Amino acid sequence: MQIFTCPFCGPRDEREFHFAVEAGKRRPEPAAGVSDAAWADYLYAVEAPKGAAREVWLHLTCGEYFLMTRNTVTRDVVGVEALPGRQT
Amino acid sequence: MKRYSALTLGIEGLRRHRGWRPAWRKATPQHEYDAIVVGGGGHGLATAYYLAKNHGMKRVAVLEKGWIGGGNTGRNTTVIRSNYFHPESVALYDLALRLYEGLSKALNYNVMLSQRGMLIAAHTPMQMEICTRIANAMQLNGVDGALMGRDEALARVPLVNQSDTARYRCQGGIWQGRAGVARHDAVAWGYARAASDMGVDIVENCSVRALLIENGACVGVETDQGTIRAGCVGLAAAGATPGLAAQTGAVLPIHTYALQAFVSEPVKPCLDTVLLYLGTGTYVSQSDKGELVFGGALDRVPTHGQRGNLPTQEVVTSGLLEMFPAFAQLRLLRQWAGVVDVVPDSSPVIGPVGVPGLFVNCGWGTGGFKAIPAGGWLLAHLLATGGHHEISAPFDLSRFAAGRLIDEAAGSGIAH
């Protein structure tokens, strides 16, 4: 059992958390000017890095999204923080 | 190559088995090949075999960073089936199943294919409707699949929980009689032996560090044993494929997760089919040694580490015990995990990627073992001809930009 730390609630059981998306994705705008390739890239492309990763996670029980920096091989969590502009 | 037969076994028995030779050559890499296959699992070895067998290419190398079949080929639960929904998927997986049916003879290597049939069991009227839909689709797509009623299903798996207090009372399900299991190691070893016999170099402990790109085309690989040039390169390295392809600027739609498998202590024969229970998501079969081999859903934390975690173990094991309360007496013998490459539509990615001369066969997710002969057949076709086989064409990477997904998670609604 792994313990993840929600920036809002503190350390909790991993079953309370859900991986959302890799950090840094930005929805291409405006929609009318977005090519099929750019849209597919936004929807589907994944880096899936081996090692250091920065991801957006959801704490299911409080409903807050937050950033987690962790290692995808060792599963060590380096740090968690609220999304930019969000107060804990 | 010394042919394996009852006669050679008998002769060797009289000679105290001193005449056996290694099944494949330990090759050291040459400087140049016509084709290089990265990844010495089932898919990579099958690719090399069909390059030599179907297309007459002899200067072929398989580069494996560890040992042959030590990745997901040696970590899966050996189930083979083609009970899918979409025509493209059925064409793909049934090609694999048909090749599996003749594989022991083709390779002169017993892959221990046991077509004991597979039941996908349902426990609600709604699930039975979905099963009806899939069974109808299978029949329309020309493969054996049939809806099975409650009595017949329970006769197939008599130990399943039928009590009044059972949480998931079996209502029936889908039956595919040609589905079954095979010996996973034997599939890798058989392809390796047959490919090596036709001149393919199988290089173990050879890690590919980067692709060799010249004038915008892939012309080989950089390895820890030096640079190896090639006319074309095929990647069949499961979860490691996106990292290698990324050098060309290609970003693949692949998430990596750990998928666990479990083996109980061996018991006498008690389950002679493969069972997947929709209610629990747990599937199980019994090995020839008597162990119960079972598994279930992915671990939910994306990872490249080949080990599982406890919450999923608890869900999968409790699913097994819900189906078979009697199995609570058994002890768990082994548990392990492999890193699987999961695509949003639960279908593989087969085709050219990034630059000319580079092809991939990846994204099989949790269902790669059953597809080994087809994956090899189709990647070999791509490498030898430069273009798609009609069966692999729908699985090209371009389907994501085109919006032509082959969504089997939605289509067949079954674990991958």
Side-chain angles (χ1 to χ4, degrees):
Chain A
M1 181 74 68
Q2 187 165 13
I3 303 295
F4 290 138
T5 302
C6 169
F8 301 88
C9 311
R12 296 294 183 97
D13 178 338
E14 66 172 273
R15 285 175 293 195
E16 293 187 11
F17 295 86
H18 182 72
F19 167 80
V21 67
E22 290 176 348
K25 276 213 166 187
R26 196 168 285 275
R27 183 186 168 108
E29 305 271 15
V34 179
S35 69
D36 289 352
W39 185 244
D41 197 56
Y42 168 68
L43 284 183
Y44 301 115
V46 191
E47 300 282 344
K50 185 173 185 176
R54 192 165 160 80
E55 302 161 331
V56 179
W57 282 70
L58 170 64
H59 187 204
L60 297 164
T61 45
C62 76
E64 289 281 357
Y65 287 89
F66 64 95
L67 285 162
M68 178 147 61
T69 309
R70 65 182 189 101
N71 186 303
T72 62
V73 180
T74 65
R75 304 190 184 201
D76 291 335
V77 176
V78 180
V80 293
E81 60 196 286
L83 291 172
R86 196 90 177 93
Q87 295 295 317
T88 53
Chain B
M1 183 173 79
K2 186 174 192 167
R3 274 191 68 78
Y4 294 156
S5 67
L7 180 64
T8 54
L9 184 63
I11 291 170
E12 279 305 322
L14 295 173
R15 289 176 180 168
R16 300 188 178 184
H17 296 290
R18 285 177 184 145
W20 298 115
R21 294 283 168 263
W24 62 88
R25 291 176 291 112
K26 297 281 181 195
T28 48
Q30 321 235 325
H31 295 298
E32 189 169 3
Y33 290 95
D34 291 336
I36 286 177
V37 182
V38 180
H43 282 272
L45 294 164
T47 303
Y49 170 74
Y50 291 119
L51 275 172
K53 177 88 176 171
N54 295 357
H55 303 282
M57 286 174 75
K58 305 294 182 193
R59 295 172 65 229
V60 176
V62 178
L63 308 181
E64 166 55 46
K65 69 177 173 185
W67 65 95
I68 292 305
N72 292 344
T73 302
R75 292 166 189 266
N76 62 80
T77 47
T78 78
V79 176
I80 293 168
R81 59 188 174 83
S82 62
N83 46 7
Y84 284 78
F85 181 78
H86 294 289
E88 299 89 343
S89 307
V90 175
L92 177 66
Y93 290 103
D94 207 60
L95 169 66
L97 182 46
R98 291 195 307 275
L99 289 168
Y100 262 126
E101 285 172 332
L103 198 59
S104 291
K105 197 164 186 180
L107 299 179
N108 179 231
Y109 202 102
N110 187 3
V111 300
M112 299 168 76
L113 176 68
S114 164
Q115 291 177 289
R116 55 186 67 177
M118 177 175 184
L119 175 67
I120 299 176
H123 75 281
T124 64
M126 193 198 82
Q127 283 182 354
M128 280 303 286
E129 285 175 10
I130 290 173
C131 287
T132 310
R133 175 173 172 266
I134 298 173
N136 288 343
M138 288 171 67
Q139 289 173 8
L140 285 171
N141 289 322
V143 298
D144 65 314
L147 196 68
M148 186 176 269
R150 180 173 186 275
D151 292 345
E152 200 182 344
L154 289 175
R156 298 276 183 186
V157 282
L159 274 183
V160 89
N161 191 354
Q162 304 174 38
S163 69
D164 291 340
T165 57
R167 171 70 181 81
Y168 303 108
R169 296 188 70 190
C170 179
Q171 302 292 313
I174 308 167
W175 176 257
Q176 186 180 24
R178 286 163 65 232
V181 294
R183 175 82 201 280
H184 50 4
D185 296 323
V187 173
W189 298 337
Y191 272 122
R193 173 170 170 268
S196 177
D197 183 55
M198 285 189 289
V200 170
D201 279 354
I202 295 166
V203 188
E204 293 173 275
N205 300 309
C206 179
S207 184
V208 172
R209 290 174 174 160
L211 303 172
L212 187 62
I213 310 282
E214 285 178 6
N215 300 323
C218 185
V219 293
V221 291
E222 306 276 3
T223 76
D224 52 6
Q225 297 186 29
T227 300
I228 310 174
R229 302 185 70 87
C232 53
V233 174
L235 304 180
T241 303
L244 288 167
Q247 194 192 334
T248 67
V251 186
L252 299 172
I254 289 175
H255 291 271
T256 56
Y257 292 97
L259 177 67
Q260 303 192 62
F262 310 83
V263 164
S264 77
E265 61 184 317
V267 288
K268 290 194 173 174
C270 59
L271 179 67
D272 63 357
T273 185
V274 182
L275 175 67
L276 165 66
Y277 224 86
L278 292 173
T280 62
T282 299
Y283 59 88
V284 58
S285 66
Q286 188 172 23
S287 75
D288 293 339
K289 281 189 287 185
E291 303 152 328
L292 294 163
V293 184
F294 62 101
L298 293 167
D299 284 13
R300 293 169 56 251
V301 180
T303 183
H304 285 269
Q306 286 176 315
R307 60 183 195 281
N309 64 359
L310 287 165
T312 306
Q313 291 176 23
E314 191 178 351
V315 170
V316 173
T317 311
S318 53
L320 180 75
L321 301 190
E322 180 64 47
M323 292 147 57
F324 298 98
F327 292 171
Q329 302 166 53
L330 300 178
R331 276 168 295 189
L332 210 54
L333 207 61
R334 294 190 300 280
Q335 164 275 333
W336 66 93
V339 173
V340 296
D341 42 352
V342 176
V343 180
D345 63 355
S346 297
S347 289
V349 176
I350 309 169
V353 154
V355 294
L358 182 65
F359 302 88
V360 299
N361 166 23
C362 62
W364 292 98
T366 62
F369 175 72
K370 73 170 86 70
I372 281 174
W377 186 284
L378 299 170
L379 182 58
H381 186 94
L382 278 157
L383 288 166
T385 68
H388 270 292
H389 187 285
E390 61 178 7
I391 291 178
S392 67
F395 296 93
D396 192 271
L397 184 61
S398 63
R399 74 177 186 268
F400 293 95
R404 275 196 317 269
L405 302 192
I406 305 166
D407 195 341
E408 278 299 331
S412 50
I414 48 182
H416 274 248

